[in-house]
Amino acid sequence: MTRAVACLIALLSMACAHSPEQTFFALSAQSGSALSSRPLKVELRRAGLPGYLDRPHIVRRATAERLDLGGDDRWGAPLDEMVGATLAENLSQ
């Protein structure tokens, strides 16, 4: 009986523990030098991403065949929206 009570107390104390804080990441444009040619007209459409990247977790390639989710690392916004906005900002520079 005392062993069962000790196990119950241990389980309850672990249940009260909190998970680590999540870390959020965003994409940012890279500054570059402007080209010295005539201005180009570019139409940017919605960027397409592979389905395995369409998630809030950051996905990292562990090997050629294996992917790892980034634990508590998450994107700060939907990845397809950040890719499109960042690409547009890079192209406008």
Side-chain angles (χ1 to χ4, degrees), residues 5-27:
V5 171
C7 287
L8 181 61
I9 291 172
L11 287 173
L12 287 175
S13 67
M14 286 190 292
C16 294
H18 69 310
S19 60
E21 292 293 319
Q22 295 179 351
T23 305
F24 293 93
F25 292 88
L27 299 177

Side-chain angles (χ1 to χ4, degrees), residues 30-82:
Q30 299 294 311
S31 60
S33 58
L35 298 176
S36 60
S37 63
R38 62 185 180 101
L40 299 174
K41 191 174 201 176
V42 177
E43 179 180 345
L44 182 61
R45 298 184 184 201
R46 182 183 164 112
L49 296 175
Y52 62 85
L53 293 177
D54 187 19
R55 60 184 67 245
H57 292 87
I58 293 180
V59 179
R60 294 181 179 93
R61 184 170 299 281
T63 66
E65 298 82 20
R66 195 179 103 218
L67 303 172
D68 286 335
L69 294 180
D72 295 321
D73 296 342
R74 300 184 189 276
W75 292 115
L79 185 58
D80 61 340
E81 292 176 13
M82 283 196 299

